[in-house]
Amino acid sequence: MEQLMDVGIIGGGPAGLSAALVLGRARKTVVLIDEGRARNRVTHATHGYLTRDGIKPADFRKVAREEISAYPSVRFVDETATAVSGSDGRFMITTSQGAVYYVKKLLFAVGKRDLPVEINGLREVYGKSAFVCPYCDGWELRDQPLAIIAKGQGAHHLAKMLTGWTNQTVICSNGPDELSEEQREELNRHNVAVYSSPIGQIESNDGIVNQIRLEDGSIISCTGIFFAPKLAAGSKLPEMLGCNMTDSGTVVIDNFGKTSVAGVFSAGDAATEMYQAIAAASMGSLAAAVLNGELITEAWEKI
């Protein structure tokens, strides 16, 4: 006989794990399905997470799973969810191994995924000396010469933000900079040089950048890089189920994590563009509490 569980969580990062903890403590039956390919797996540490600052992403997940294992109603499945169908009260999740799970409610915590950035040498330094978030990795590169690889408003924003950590930045736009004249003048006042020649090669040793060689022959010396990533939805399942999405692949939710589809919630990087582990965990916790409230109310009203 098939088992109808309370909640299916797809994605096992900070959002999904936090939700699983809340729901486990609420005595709900939960299946958490995770393929084990978190976006931050390339980074050396997770920062800004109180009591876990500097922990390796893999260790974070290990500790979280150990804590959640104290609540036997939560089950972990290390597979990829490949299909979802159904409606509020009865959803069916199918995995890559052919397993099928039936759940009353769904929580998508599928994050985002990086699209390839075609710059020679970037792959070798990503997560070691090239990052995307100053709040996550700015401290480790404080007072160092840094290169910003971005264009337009993104480049201008990063240059301003990074002044909190260093006053030694340059912009490599890897082609036309797409800056307004006002932005160029502002950057010039703050001694931020802008190089628009395409990047030929990022040169590094053991993942630590030492210079960027441009196609026009210019050499940019630096010990760190911040760049604007190209991102897409971590999974097509929310869209396939009918959830409203933004043009950038973010699941549209209300203030409580509810999507446009009844019984379906989303949290973490899948549903926001503020990519911080502690924020993702907070969203997962809130969505789980609201989701649990729905389950309790529905059970209450049946009697």
Side-chain angles (χ1 to χ4, degrees):
M1 179 182 293
E2 67 187 39
Q3 178 187 5
L4 180 62
M5 289 179 280
D6 292 315
V7 184
I9 300 174
I10 301 177
L17 290 166
S18 184
L21 177 61
V22 170
L23 292 166
R25 289 182 55 79
R27 305 181 71 185
K28 296 298 180 288
T29 53
V30 177
V31 57
L32 187 154
I33 302 171
D34 181 52
E35 63 183 2
R37 292 184 58 80
R39 181 176 168 235
N40 70 348
R41 68 187 184 280
V42 302
T43 63
H44 63 283
T46 296
H47 290 292
Y49 201 112
L50 193 63
T51 77
R52 289 290 183 264
D53 187 47
I55 192 172
K56 294 179 180 179
D59 290 344
F60 178 93
R61 286 168 173 74
K62 180 175 181 292
V63 171
R65 284 194 175 206
E66 289 173 350
E67 292 181 351
I68 295 168
S69 67
Y71 306 98
S73 63
V74 179
R75 176 182 177 183
F76 291 100
V77 175
D78 297 324
E79 296 181 30
T80 301
T82 56
V84 177
S85 60
S87 58
D88 191 13
R90 184 180 174 81
F91 294 99
M92 182 176 76
I93 307 171
T94 304
T95 74
S96 55
Q97 302 300 313
V100 175
Y101 300 93
Y102 296 93
V103 298
K104 299 175 184 176
K105 306 284 182 182
L106 273 174
L107 173 63
F108 288 116
V110 294
K112 295 284 200 316
R113 60 183 177 88
D114 286 298
L115 297 176
V117 178
E118 301 301 331
I119 297 176
N120 292 330
L122 182 60
R123 182 185 298 273
E124 288 77 7
V125 297
Y126 183 27
K128 298 176 181 177
S129 60
F131 306 99
V132 299
C133 172
Y135 289 103
C136 300
D137 298 287
W139 170 262
E140 284 66 35
L141 296 176
R142 64 195 183 279
D143 298 323
Q144 297 183 38
L146 306 180
I148 297 166
I149 301 178
K151 300 175 184 287
Q153 177 58 32
H156 180 267
H157 174 73
L158 264 176
K160 182 168 71 172
M161 290 302 299
L162 282 170
T163 59
W165 289 271
T166 185
N167 60 4
Q168 304 174 67
T169 59
V170 300
I171 292 173
C172 297
S173 60
N174 195 31
D177 59 43
E178 300 178 9
L179 294 163
S180 67
E181 286 303 317
E182 182 179 357
Q183 288 171 331
R184 290 193 190 93
E185 291 174 4
E186 189 174 326
L187 291 167
N188 185 58
R189 288 201 308 271
H190 290 274
N191 298 313
V192 179
V194 179
Y195 296 85
S196 58
S197 175
I199 295 171
Q201 180 72 39
I202 296 174
E203 300 179 357
S204 61
N205 293 310
D206 296 325
I208 306 303
V209 62
N210 51 62
Q211 64 182 25
I212 300 175
R213 188 181 300 275
L214 305 183
E215 288 186 0
D216 69 0
S218 300
I219 300 296
I220 311 299
S221 297
C222 59
T223 55
I225 293 171
F226 281 91
F227 70 99
K230 296 179 180 179
L231 302 176
S235 169
K236 295 184 180 298
L237 294 180
E239 185 176 9
M240 292 170 62
L241 196 61
C243 297
N244 289 342
M245 310 285 290
T246 68
D247 291 340
S248 61
T250 299
V251 182
V252 177
I253 59 171
D254 67 8
N255 292 335
F256 304 101
K258 295 182 180 182
T259 73
S260 58
V261 177
V264 180
F265 292 71
S266 188
D269 288 2
T272 184
E273 295 182 13
M274 185 175 66
Y275 306 125
Q276 290 183 290
I278 197 164
S282 174
M283 291 176 69
S285 180
L286 174 61
V290 176
L291 189 160
N292 182 59
E294 281 194 3
L295 289 168
I296 288 174
T297 298
E298 289 165 7
W300 178 274
E301 292 177 349
K302 283 183 179 179
I303 300 175

